[in-house]
Amino acid sequence: MEPKGAEPTRRVMESMPNGVPVPRHKMSTFASPLRAACRIRHKYLLMKRRRVSTEQREPGDGERPGVKGQECQGRGVRNRGKPPEHFTFDKVPPVRATRKRRSHKKRRVLYPNDSRKYLPEEKKSKAKHCLFLLSVIVFFQIYNAIENLDDNVLKYDLAGLEKTLKREVFGQAVAIDRVMDLLNDYLSTHSHNKPLVLSVNGPIGVGKSLLGRLLAKHFRSVLGDELVYQYYVLHHCPTDDNVTSCQQELQVVISEIVSRAEDEEKIPMLIFDEVELMQPALLDFLHNFLQPNQTNEFLNAVYILVSNHGQAEITKFVLHNASSGMTQQPAKSEELLFTVRSSLVHIHPLWNHADIVPFTLLQRHHILECFLEKMMAEGFYPDSAHLDKLAGELNYYSVGEHQFSVHGCKHVDSKMNLLH
């Protein structure tokens, strides 16, 4: 028991607003200020919580809650440290816009939660098998086409023909190469849009008619006599009186040959010698068979035209270029081909459809080869001194160190007949 009127000595515990017990005798000195501060803090926290809850419930149009207040607050903080701006007449420097660098980080692939994290399986397409099959078919077609081209060339034995021509015809290696190239290109296939026309032109005695006879002999052996035709103007149509009958006869012969060749899937050869003696009416008639707008059987044919047309241009060209080294390959000269073609076209437009093969002048060593072959064929002993004596009896064009025969090997036979 404590005396009446005395202050209690025991410690009486009071609880603060936040529930923390505080001794009564310690709060007696600063109780009222502390309580006021606690109430103010408690009210501030309540107001802050209410404000946050209201902003979360009712955000602004397209704005996130609290963003506007933060922007205003940040703007005010930034403007506090800046001095007040005054108006001046100075130009404001342009502000360079900085480009944002693209991040090269690999983006993560997000998978749904209910699926496995692996790439989809590649499904086998049937189109690949079809594409492979189509490639195999195209390959076999190309292979068969190449084989057919080789079979066509082998059927005509052009390799053997080339060896024969180079062995029998002297001094015309370049012209023979041109003939073989044209024949190889044309005879490699059976489908053409125009016939092949070879015009063999040059001076007399250089081997033009010999070339025609060798071609006829070779193609008769591989095609047969029915598909090779030799036409000599002085023999088949010597005068102008029977031009009409010559045309009719030629029409029948050409039609039969090309029709037979079309049935046998072969290409015939028609050789016309002494074309310089052919009448203009007959040239016009022959010109109709060389046109591209004909039936298929007339397009698959080879025409050889042998003539002395253009011999003046060829002789002049060879003699003029003898000192400049053109004597080795004059037939390859584009200038010579153009000159000869121009002279032939003035004679008749038939030569517009022809490939020109110029035969050039023969030199002295070519004449010696002609005599040597003729003497061996006749059974004479090939004496070199005798050959030089026979070759010296012929006429030649002399250009520097070169000697070109005026008549080629034309008079070799007559000279050999004197030996008997």
Side-chain angles (χ1 to χ4, degrees):
M1 291 289 295
E2 292 181 357
K4 189 177 180 179
E7 293 182 358
T9 58
R10 61 183 183 87
R11 297 177 180 179
V12 180
M13 305 296 294
E14 293 184 357
S15 62
M16 293 293 291
N18 54 1
V20 180
V22 180
R24 182 179 293 273
H25 71 281
K26 289 183 179 181
M27 293 182 61
S28 60
T29 56
F30 55 90
S32 55
L34 184 59
R35 289 175 182 173
C38 290
R39 290 193 190 97
I40 293 171
R41 184 174 180 275
H42 182 65
K43 289 182 179 181
Y44 173 74
L45 293 175
L46 290 176
M47 292 174 64
K48 186 176 181 180
R49 291 173 184 172
R50 291 174 183 174
R51 181 181 175 184
V52 170
S53 61
T54 55
E55 288 180 355
Q56 289 179 353
R57 292 176 184 176
E58 300 178 358
D61 297 337
E63 298 180 357
R64 284 183 284 177
V67 175
K68 186 175 181 180
Q70 292 177 5
E71 290 181 356
C72 295
Q73 187 177 2
R75 194 181 303 163
V77 173
R78 287 195 300 267
N79 293 335
R80 283 179 195 169
K82 293 183 179 180
E85 296 181 359
H86 301 280
F87 175 77
T88 59
F89 291 97
D90 297 337
K91 294 183 179 179
V92 179
V95 181
R96 295 182 179 179
T98 57
R99 296 181 179 179
K100 294 183 179 180
R101 294 182 179 179
R102 295 182 179 179
S103 59
H104 297 283
K105 295 181 180 180
K106 295 182 179 180
R107 298 182 179 180
R108 296 178 59 187
V109 180
L110 302 179
Y111 294 90
N113 295 328
D114 56 347
S115 63
R116 296 181 180 180
K117 298 181 180 180
Y118 60 85
L119 295 175
E121 296 181 358
E122 294 184 0
K123 296 182 180 180
K124 296 183 178 180
S125 177
K126 295 181 179 180
K128 292 183 179 179
H129 300 286
C130 297
L131 181 61
F132 177 76
L133 181 61
L134 180 62
S135 302
V136 172
I137 293 174
V138 172
F139 171 76
F140 276 107
Q141 287 180 347
I142 296 174
Y143 179 77
N144 290 332
I146 295 174
E147 288 293 328
N148 291 334
L149 294 179
D150 295 338
D151 293 342
N152 288 333
V153 175
L154 294 175
K155 179 172 61 177
Y156 297 104
D157 190 20
L158 296 181
L161 174 62
E162 183 177 5
K163 293 179 181 178
T164 302
L165 294 180
K166 288 188 176 181
R167 183 178 64 250
E168 300 291 338
V169 182
F170 301 116
Q172 306 295 341
V174 178
I176 292 173
D177 290 338
R178 178 170 172 79
V179 170
M180 295 308 303
D181 291 341
L182 294 171
L183 289 177
N184 271 297
D185 293 340
Y186 192 82
L187 298 178
S188 60
T189 180
H190 190 68
S191 178
H192 306 94
N193 56 3
K194 65 177 183 178
L196 176 64
V197 183
L198 299 182
S199 178
V200 182
N201 304 90
I204 58 174
V206 295
K208 304 184 303 299
S209 297
L210 177 61
L211 174 71
R213 291 193 298 270
L214 293 176
L215 288 175
K217 180 180 179 181
H218 176 81
F219 279 92
R220 279 195 177 100
S221 63
V222 297
L223 297 177
D225 295 337
E226 298 81 6
L227 301 182
V228 178
Y229 181 65
Q230 284 183 280
Y231 188 89
Y232 294 94
V233 177
L234 291 180
H235 174 72
H236 292 86
C237 192
T239 60
D240 298 341
D241 300 334
N242 54 354
V243 174
T244 305
S245 61
C246 293
Q247 293 178 354
Q248 295 175 355
E249 181 182 356
L250 194 59
Q251 170 74 34
V252 173
V253 171
I254 294 178
S255 300
E256 290 179 354
I257 290 176
V258 296
S259 300
R260 183 187 295 270
E262 185 68 19
D263 295 337
E264 298 179 7
E265 293 185 356
K266 296 179 181 179
I267 298 177
M269 177 167 288
L270 300 97
I271 302 171
F272 296 85
D273 204 345
E274 303 169 344
V275 180
E276 68 274 4
L277 304 176
M278 189 175 289
Q279 293 81 5
L282 198 57
L283 286 175
D284 295 336
F285 179 77
L286 183 61
H287 188 205
N288 297 327
F289 292 100
L290 309 182
Q291 301 294 330
N293 51 351
Q294 300 182 84
T295 56
N296 192 38
E297 62 269 15
F298 288 95
L299 298 178
N300 297 324
V302 178
Y303 294 87
I304 308 294
L305 307 180
V306 180
S307 70
N308 294 335
H309 288 314
Q311 61 177 338
E313 288 77 11
I314 295 174
T315 301
K316 181 180 178 181
F317 181 86
V318 173
L319 297 178
H320 181 72
N321 295 278
S323 58
S324 61
M326 290 295 295
T327 57
Q328 300 296 327
Q329 295 181 343
K332 283 187 177 180
S333 174
E334 296 294 334
E335 182 182 355
L336 176 60
L337 294 176
F338 177 77
T339 304
V340 176
R341 181 181 294 276
S342 300
S343 64
L344 294 176
V345 170
H346 284 298
I347 298 173
H348 196 277
L350 173 145
W351 275 277
N352 282 319
H353 306 282
D355 291 298
I356 309 301
V357 182
F359 271 45
T360 57
L361 296 175
L362 298 180
Q363 299 187 50
R364 185 182 177 87
H365 64 274
H366 298 139
I367 304 302
L368 292 174
E369 292 177 356
C370 291
F371 274 110
L372 177 61
E373 184 187 11
K374 192 66 176 177
M375 290 180 68
M376 294 180 65
E378 296 289 339
F380 292 98
Y381 178 75
D383 186 11
S384 58
H386 197 189
L387 290 174
D388 290 335
K389 181 181 178 181
L390 292 174
E393 295 178 358
L394 301 180
N395 298 323
Y396 295 92
Y397 298 108
S398 297
V399 181
E401 299 178 354
H402 304 284
Q403 287 184 329
F404 299 95
S405 177
V406 177
H407 300 100
C409 295
K410 185 75 173 177
H411 299 305
V412 170
D413 292 338
S414 62
K415 293 293 181 181
M416 289 299 299
N417 292 332
L418 299 176
L419 300 178
H420 292 283

